[in-house]
Amino acid sequence: MNDAIEKANPFEIAQSQFDRATAYLDLKDGIRKMLRQTHRELIVNFPVEMDDLSVEIFTGYRVQHNNARGPTKGGIRYHPDVTLDEVRALAMWMTWKCATVGLPYGGAKGAVVCNPQTMSTRELENLTRRFTTEISLLIGPEDDIPAPDVNTNAQVMAWMMDTYSMHRGNTTPAVVTGKPIEIGGSLGREEATGRGCVVTALEAMKIRGINPEEATGVVQGYGNVGSVAAYLLHDAGARIIAASDIEGGVYNPQGLDPRDLLRHAQETGSVIDYPGTEFVSNAELLALKCDVLIPAALENQITGDNADRVQARIVAEGANGPTTPEADDILAERDIFVIPDILCNAGGVTVSYFEWVQDLQQFFWSEKQINDRLSDIMIDRFATVHHLAREKKVDMRIAAYILAIEQVNRATLIRGIYP
Ligand code: NAD
């Protein structure tokens, strides 16, 4: 892999991952060209009245990559640095993720360029309601179903659901997932992504002969995904020795209490200054010796520049796109087991699917049913991807891509190219 791709943007990285996998597939050239691109892209510039009565203009995106296997599905990100190419990459990864775990969805993603940390709740509500209105051209329970992502949560989904419902004149819970329980959310959804990460990490530990009771874990990013992964890995017996967020990290080789750390982070706004720990930077944290490293923040964290310093035995990708293709090669050479994002963090969209099914049927399941079904799917798909990786002598990412692209290819061939 050359430097040009390493320094490329997330969408070029997503396309390069796709290209690597298609080398093992017999795709028609037209289908290959189609799947390398996104299908629909909506860019909206819209006004929001701020608390001081000034009007700010925000830019938002909704991108659908592919809908051959069903309605499109994917989260909404609020971030000051988010770009259209990042949203394109995230939409493409959603297509492969849904296919990897066998959900009847295509892939989409949305974002608004904004900094929620500097906005009031009212401003965020206004922004969310106007953005929902702008993208209501595309979204709908049978069309395209958003969910939470970085800096969005159940409350944001509630505003989206309410706004869409107001336009329709009825209540449409199934238009978004990751909602509060009171309005059609699913039990287990908030923990689902972290839970799926830990289920797959435990499977990888079996393969590598690592006893969870003697294992150590390090988590980058202590939001929805990272914090849940940390405490569930801890519940499985492992010692969490470090965790970080955008401000930096905390480290204690004896292990820290992940739930208490979450309380601290919620009270103070960051994991840093947690009693009994020493400060580590995010760069230092990624290089800590541990059994399981869970990157759960943003893209491009493990790159050609630092992959040779990673001392984990397993990398469980809670985040989307945390490892670049060049880093993949280095980690593979060093025999570090990578559970790719499109498998590892697919627990979130899996329980989102359960939520959507429950909303459509108006019939709700117990938390145990949800967690058990989630575990069954994650274990089964992990085994399928691992089997394929061995058979084809490729890494887990390429194996997951082969599996996913083949599903989308078959759906496309069976449906035919319209007209
Ligand atoms: P979140 O907003 O709840 O948390 C993000 C965390 O990352 C925060 O602790 C933040 O401080 C930290 N962070 C941000 N920039 C950082 C940096 N440069 N270095 C270190 N830490 C940084 O977001 P989330 O929902 O937990 O999502 C995290 C990742 O998981 C994203 O890649 C997202 O796409 C992916 N993901 C989320 C879900 C889901 O269900 N929420 C599902 C699948 C994948």
Side-chain angles (χ1 to χ4, degrees):
M1 191 60 40
N2 60 38
D3 275 1
I5 286 179
E6 179 64 19
K7 294 198 178 76
N9 66 38
F11 189 48
E12 286 174 13
I13 287 177
Q15 288 181 319
S16 120
Q17 291 167 333
F18 172 78
D19 293 342
R20 285 179 161 212
T22 56
Y24 297 87
L25 285 161
D26 189 19
L27 288 190
K28 285 187 176 164
D29 197 43
I31 291 186
R32 196 188 56 77
K33 282 193 288 200
M34 184 178 95
L35 297 181
R36 254 186 134 252
Q37 292 300 337
T38 57
H39 173 213
R40 284 186 184 142
E41 301 180 341
L42 178 63
I43 304 176
V44 291
N45 299 304
F46 59 93
V48 177
E49 190 178 81
M50 309 304 277
D51 288 348
D52 65 2
L53 301 185
S54 67
V55 173
E56 294 288 334
I57 307 298
F58 290 88
T59 299
Y61 309 103
R62 185 71 185 171
V63 173
Q64 298 174 349
H65 171 254
N66 183 278
N67 63 1
R69 299 179 61 260
T72 49
K73 184 95 189 75
I76 303 280
R77 178 172 293 193
Y78 288 174
H79 199 279
D81 303 325
V82 69
T83 63
L84 179 57
D85 272 335
E86 187 176 345
V87 182
R88 287 173 170 147
L90 289 159
M92 186 194 262
W93 287 328
M94 283 307 295
T95 303
W96 312 140
K97 190 182 301 182
C98 293
T100 300
V101 287
L103 307 177
Y105 288 136
K109 204 81 180 190
V112 178
V113 185
C114 66
N115 186 353
Q117 268 81 38
T118 62
M119 295 173 69
S120 71
T121 304
R122 183 179 161 277
E123 288 170 341
L124 274 176
E125 177 173 350
N126 286 351
L127 175 139
T128 301
R129 288 187 181 279
R130 180 65 188 244
F131 177 61
T132 306
T133 305
E134 298 289 343
I135 64 167
S136 62
L137 290 168
L138 294 183
I139 64 172
E142 282 150 14
D143 306 292
D144 183 6
I145 306 122
D149 190 72
V150 174
N151 289 329
T152 57
N153 56 21
Q155 178 60 70
V156 172
M157 294 306 114
W159 291 326
M160 292 191 79
M161 180 279 225
D162 184 69
T163 304
Y164 184 87
S165 298
M166 287 297 129
H167 289 282
R168 293 280 305 251
N170 61 22
T171 294
T172 313
V175 66
V176 292
T177 58
K179 297 178 294 295
I181 302 294
E182 294 83 349
I183 55 169
S186 177
L187 295 167
R189 173 60 185 91
E190 234 164 64
E191 287 189 333
T193 310
R195 183 176 295 278
C197 285
V198 171
V199 170
T200 57
L202 291 172
E203 292 304 293
M205 285 156 89
K206 278 185 208 157
I207 287 164
R208 286 294 157 106
I210 301 168
N211 177 357
E213 307 267 333
E214 289 161 15
T216 51
V218 167
V219 180
Q220 186 203 33
Y222 217 64
N224 173 278
V225 179
S227 63
V228 173
Y231 69 66
L232 292 180
L233 193 60
H234 173 85
D235 291 352
R239 230 174 339 128
I240 304 301
I241 58 169
S244 70
D245 57 31
I246 194 160
E247 310 285 338
V250 289
Y251 172 57
N252 179 347
Q254 306 309 315
L256 34 85
D257 176 346
R259 283 190 178 81
D260 197 47
L261 178 63
L262 179 59
R263 180 199 53 75
H264 171 86
Q266 282 165 346
E267 280 172 16
T268 67
S270 172
V271 294
I272 57 170
D273 294 331
Y274 181 61
T277 60
E278 60 183 88
F279 180 85
V280 282
S281 68
N282 268 292
E284 288 164 340
L285 174 129
L286 293 173
L288 288 173
K289 190 169 168 50
C290 63
D291 293 298
V292 184
L293 171 64
I294 305 182
L298 291 173
E299 303 88 52
N300 296 346
Q301 298 301 303
I302 305 176
T303 68
D305 294 333
N306 65 1
D308 59 345
R309 292 200 289 279
V310 170
Q311 292 192 70
R313 295 170 72 190
I314 294 167
V315 174
E317 294 186 336
N320 288 307
T323 311
T324 66
E326 190 183 358
D328 263 339
D329 289 345
I330 296 167
L331 297 179
E333 209 159 277
R334 299 182 53 221
D335 199 27
I336 295 171
F337 192 107
V338 178
I339 314 167
D341 47 8
I342 60 170
L343 172 65
C344 189
N345 71 39
V349 72
T350 302
V351 176
S352 273
Y353 167 64
F354 297 162
E355 178 175 333
W356 180 74
V357 168
Q358 292 172 86
D359 287 340
L360 293 175
Q361 297 183 340
Q362 292 288 305
F363 178 73
F364 290 86
W365 313 344
S366 74
E367 191 160 0
K368 181 172 183 326
Q369 282 173 314
I370 285 158
N371 289 344
D372 288 352
R373 282 179 177 163
L374 170 64
S375 278
D376 287 350
I377 290 176
M378 298 303 292
I379 290 170
D380 176 71
R381 304 318 282 183
F382 181 97
T384 305
V385 172
H386 187 240
H387 179 77
L388 191 66
R390 285 199 160 160
E391 190 183 289
K392 302 255 183 215
K393 300 192 173 34
V394 294
D395 65 30
M396 290 283 285
R397 189 181 321 278
I398 293 182
Y401 268 70
I402 292 173
L403 191 79
I405 295 167
E406 190 48 35
Q407 309 283 321
V408 179
N409 179 41
R410 280 214 293 272
T412 309
L413 288 174
I414 292 165
R415 287 179 64 163
I417 302 292
Y418 180 84

